[in-house]
Amino acid sequence: MALNGKQIRHLRSLAHHLNPVVFVGKADITDALVDQANQALEAHELIKCGVQDGSDLSAQEAAAELAERTGSDVVQVIGHRFSLYRLSDKKGIEHIQLP
């Protein structure tokens, strides 16, 4: 799903207050990390991730690869942190309403 500018701004404002739930470490992006990100996206739709100092990937590279492998969209990359968004199929959660 391609996000427009207004939707990205809205998601960035929501992601600002989040703490990272997925960390890319020295093993870079593994299948276990992708599974963890998928579970977090399914539960929350919008997640913040961090890239630790031991990783060979930059935050931009990690965001692009993880977004591709999870089928999500990159919302924002700042420093060692990035945010991902994917609409959840899970019932019973409050979905993020995009403008």
Side-chain angles (χ1 to χ4, degrees):
M1 171 182 161
L3 298 170
N4 64 35
K6 190 172 188 177
Q7 292 169 330
I8 289 173
R9 284 191 303 277
H10 178 68
L11 290 170
R12 279 194 329 224
S13 70
L14 294 175
H16 176 74
H17 302 289
L18 298 178
N19 291 321
V21 294
V22 176
F23 290 94
V24 178
K26 104 180 139 166
D28 293 331
I29 298 181
T30 61
D31 291 338
L33 183 78
V34 173
D35 289 341
Q36 182 183 5
N38 275 325
Q39 290 174 3
L41 283 165
E42 216 31 58
H44 303 289
E45 294 186 342
L46 180 65
I47 62 170
K48 189 179 277 188
C49 307
V51 178
Q52 297 177 330
D53 290 335
S55 177
D56 292 332
L57 297 175
S58 70
Q60 190 74 37
E61 294 166 336
E65 185 175 342
L66 196 56
E68 181 182 328
R69 291 182 64 180
T70 59
S72 59
D73 291 306
V74 177
V75 175
Q76 183 177 33
V77 178
I78 294 179
H80 294 283
R81 307 218 190 269
F82 59 93
S83 302
L84 298 176
Y85 170 77
R86 182 180 74 199
L87 183 63
S88 176
D89 297 328
K90 194 173 186 179
K91 303 286 186 236
I93 66 166
E94 187 175 334
H95 295 284
I96 297 172
Q97 300 299 315
L98 295 177

